[in-house]
Amino acid sequence: MINSYVDRGDGSKWDKERKLTRRAIDAANNMHPKPKFFIVCGDLVDSFPGTSSDDKVKKEQIQDFKIDFKTLDSNIPLICVCGNHDVGNSPTQDSVEKYKESFGDDYFSFWVGGVKFLVLNSQYYKDSSQVPEQKEEQDVWLETQLQNDGWQHLVVFHHIPWFLESPDEEDQYFNIDIDVRKTMLKRFHDAGVKKIFCGHYHRNAGGFDEDLEVVVTSAVGCQMGEDKSGFRVVTVKETEIQHKYYDLGQVPKNIDLE
Ligand SMILES: [Fe+2]
């Protein structure tokens, strides 16, 4: 994306993204205590699914993504979230299956200590016209996951933010349409979710819907605003969740958990 969007090339090089990815991984490896996991909130690679030549580039990019993330400390699990570049703006059964072959499930939950995390495929909320059954399956599954089965915090991750600044903002490419947005935010509210972390915008943003915060994090790779390549460090305490975005050169080595 840096090659096509910033350098006005044909998108056939991704060495800049690879360098930035390695720097992000190094910074995570050097943190104390080590992160409980490292999550990439979608668009794992730039190339969209499509023609056979697109798929060839995509395969190479996925291969390089995996080579680079092998350098992530083996004690830090890598969690992958599915984005529009991963399954397409209007996903198909085939694009979702191919994603799952490369990266595993497109929606799932996991626990770390007393915290439960949900990872969703937000493409089902953006455009499910070609995959109505998969969308329905995720919705049914989500309902079961939103029951409180003993979590201290319930945290949600997906790619496209419900909103960028305000729950009432107008529909656009980088958010989810307001009808779906309102319905879903209410479901999360009712379940007691306080934080939802997203990507997609290539800029830091976010806002509140009452006490529910949608946090939009810029990219390790291509920037579309004034932010620099970096990642967000999230600190989870018993009663609160704090988060801060760091440029790659400024990621702290020591994280204060007091
Ligand atoms: Fe995206």
Side-chain angles (χ1 to χ4, degrees):
M1 186 169 167
I2 295 175
N3 181 256
S4 56
Y5 182 81
V6 181
D7 299 340
R8 304 285 170 197
D10 59 1
S12 63
K13 293 181 192 157
W14 48 91
D15 50 310
K16 288 187 178 174
E17 274 92 345
R18 292 193 69 182
K19 257 188 209 154
L20 291 162
T21 301
R22 293 277 188 142
R23 284 181 63 199
I25 293 168
D26 277 351
N29 287 346
N30 284 309
M31 283 167 67
H32 301 277
K34 288 205 188 297
K36 293 288 188 187
F37 58 89
F38 187 115
I39 186 161
V40 185
C41 280
D43 293 354
L44 308 171
V45 302
D46 178 50
S47 180
F48 279 91
T51 63
S52 55
S53 78
D54 293 334
D55 284 350
K56 185 175 169 286
V57 173
K58 192 168 187 64
K59 211 170 151 191
E60 289 171 25
Q61 291 183 349
I62 290 172
Q63 207 168 21
D64 287 342
F65 176 97
K66 290 187 178 181
I67 289 169
D68 290 337
F69 272 100
K70 282 228 162 73
T71 65
L72 182 64
D73 188 302
S74 58
N75 293 307
I76 309 172
L78 171 68
I79 314 284
C80 293
V81 180
C82 145
N84 57 309
H85 286 244
D86 299 308
V87 293
N89 285 320
S90 180
T92 63
Q93 215 162 324
D94 184 56
S95 71
V96 173
E97 276 315 309
K98 283 196 175 132
Y99 174 83
K100 284 157 87 170
E101 278 165 25
S102 297
F103 295 108
D105 286 339
D106 59 335
Y107 60 90
F108 54 94
S109 63
F110 63 99
W111 287 77
V112 180
V115 185
K116 185 176 178 180
F117 297 92
L118 305 182
V119 170
L120 302 178
N121 182 345
S122 54
Q123 287 318 113
Y124 296 143
Y125 300 112
K126 192 69 176 171
D127 181 355
S128 63
S129 55
Q130 300 191 73
V131 280
E133 284 172 18
Q134 282 86 344
K135 182 208 179 278
E136 180 60 22
E137 277 168 22
Q138 176 175 255
D139 262 335
V140 170
W141 169 86
L142 177 62
E143 204 46 46
T144 66
Q145 296 296 315
L146 290 174
Q147 315 296 327
N148 192 331
D149 42 2
W151 43 262
Q152 180 71 16
H153 302 287
L154 178 60
V155 176
V156 178
F157 294 104
H158 52 79
H159 183 59
I160 302 186
W162 301 109
F163 58 85
L164 300 168
E165 286 175 0
S166 150
D168 297 312
E169 71 196 20
E170 287 188 8
D171 299 345
Q172 59 138 299
Y173 174 79
F174 288 107
N175 65 21
I176 302 281
D177 287 1
I178 196 152
D179 291 352
V180 182
R181 183 195 311 161
K182 291 278 178 183
T183 307
M184 293 306 295
L185 288 173
K186 184 172 185 315
R187 285 175 79 184
F188 292 124
H189 264 296
D190 291 349
V193 177
K194 298 285 191 294
K195 302 281 178 210
I196 301 179
F197 292 93
C198 308
H200 189 51
Y201 195 37
H202 295 258
R203 280 154 279 197
N204 287 306
F208 283 84
D209 181 22
E210 296 176 29
D211 61 351
L212 168 58
E213 186 178 16
V214 171
V215 183
V216 182
T217 299
S218 195
V220 168
C222 188
Q223 302 301 309
M224 296 178 82
E226 299 305 312
D227 296 300
K228 297 210 169 83
S229 288
F231 60 76
R232 190 173 297 274
V233 177
V234 181
T235 311
V236 181
K237 300 183 182 178
E238 193 172 349
T239 55
E240 62 175 340
I241 298 175
Q242 297 163 336
H243 58 86
K244 189 168 186 244
Y245 184 84
Y246 291 97
D247 299 346
L248 286 182
Q250 292 175 350
V251 178
K253 285 204 159 83
N254 294 299
I255 304 295
D256 182 12
L257 291 175
E258 289 306 307

